[in-house]
Amino acid sequence: DTGVSQDPRHKITKRGQNVTFRCDPISEHNRLYWYRQTLGQGPEFLTYFQNEAQLEKSRLLSDRFSAERPKGSFSTLEIQRTEQGDSAMYLCASSLLPNEKLFFGSGTQLSVL
Amino acid sequence: GESVGLHLPTLSVQEGDNSIINCAYSNSASDYFIWYKQESGKGPQFIIDIRSNMDKRQGQRVTVLLNKTVKHLSLQIAATQPGDSAVYFCAEAGDYQLIWGAGTKLIIKP
């Protein structure tokens, strides 16, 4: 499978715990994006990487959220001290050109109890 | 801020008929648009894109129309099939992010 891969598919955690998600983009894509989506809504932009550089971060990304792409390939998104409001689908996408033809993974569904 | 919206939250179509899903956008300077299909529990799937220097673009069973005068996009699906059941989003490319509407749910009646 040469698409965008995300792991895990589902995560259930208790409030206050830390969680980390992984994204493996399409191999030739140097641009990687994280979005968050709640039921019935369109995805909301969180952050954007070009290679290993994090170029943009949404105001939605509080201090509890951090994303990395250390070698310009896979990326991780960590949420510290999770809150119930963090429950959502976390989507990763990659592209070859900036903000064009983004291809998405299947997402990580986070449930904070 | 700028936004992209959809006219209808739910669209029911008879199997075999054509579907038309509409979308309005507000930023007249936008020059790139994408349609995505999202099935339950999955990530958005790229369908087709269009640049502002085009009025129409065709793919396999899908056509996107862009009317810049009224800032309107539509996605036409020919001969709708049960597998077309999903939520469809139009998205507008900003500087570094896609700006999404809330989605239209397409229901196929047998």
Side-chain angles (χ1 to χ4, degrees):
Chain A
D1 185 13
T2 56
V4 178
S5 176
Q6 292 189 245
D7 184 70
R9 288 296 311 278
H10 303 276
K11 179 70 178 179
I12 299 173
T13 192
K14 292 183 179 178
R15 189 173 50 189
Q17 298 294 305
N18 299 343
V19 293
T20 301
F21 311 140
R22 177 180 170 121
C23 171
D24 288 89
I26 294 172
S27 58
E28 60 266 29
H29 287 182
N30 61 348
R31 290 170 171 85
L32 186 146
Y33 312 78
W34 285 98
Y35 281 79
R36 178 172 66 187
Q37 185 178 29
T38 53
L39 196 63
Q41 301 296 315
E44 296 174 301
F45 172 80
L46 294 178
T47 192
Y48 160 54
F49 289 86
Q50 179 177 331
N51 299 312
E52 66 276 9
Q54 188 174 20
L55 298 186
E56 294 293 341
K57 287 174 61 174
S58 166
R59 288 189 296 273
L60 293 174
L61 216 63
S62 76
D63 292 343
R64 297 185 297 105
F65 288 70
S66 61
E68 295 182 341
R69 195 182 182 198
K71 297 181 180 178
S73 56
F74 74 92
S75 175
T76 58
L77 177 68
E78 181 182 17
I79 309 174
Q80 296 182 325
R81 304 180 303 281
T82 53
E83 302 172 356
Q84 288 185 323
D86 297 331
S87 295
M89 173 80 85
Y90 289 83
L91 293 163
C92 177
S94 69
S95 71
L96 193 57
L97 298 172
N99 218 20
E100 291 189 13
K101 283 189 170 65
L102 273 68
F103 290 90
F104 284 82
S106 294
T108 295
Q109 182 66 53
L110 173 66
S111 297
V112 181
L113 305 179
Chain B
E2 303 294 349
S3 65
V4 177
L6 299 176
H7 293 305
L8 298 172
T10 302
L11 178 64
S12 293
V13 176
Q14 202 73 37
E15 183 179 348
D17 287 352
N18 296 337
S19 301
I20 300 176
I21 301 172
N22 295 303
C23 176
Y25 64 94
S26 57
N27 185 358
S28 56
S30 293
D31 62 1
Y32 181 73
F33 305 87
I34 309 177
W35 279 100
Y36 282 94
K37 171 186 179 183
Q38 188 171 27
E39 296 174 279
S40 181
K42 297 184 178 180
Q45 176 187 351
F46 176 92
I47 302 173
I48 193 167
D49 58 356
I50 189 167
R51 294 196 178 281
S52 60
N53 61 354
M54 303 174 71
D55 297 323
K56 178 179 178 179
R57 189 157 189 237
Q58 289 184 294
Q60 188 175 12
R61 278 203 309 121
V62 295
T63 301
V64 54
L65 299 177
L66 175 62
N67 186 332
K68 295 180 286 294
T69 303
V70 294
K71 293 185 287 187
H72 183 268
L73 274 168
S74 66
L75 178 71
Q76 300 178 0
I77 304 173
T80 311
Q81 303 169 358
D84 295 327
S85 293
V87 177
Y88 289 80
F89 293 95
C90 66
E92 172 185 7
D95 291 337
Y96 50 84
Q97 64 172 292
L98 295 179
I99 302 165
W100 301 67
T104 293
K105 184 174 183 178
L106 180 62
I107 298 171
I108 313 304
K109 297 182 287 187

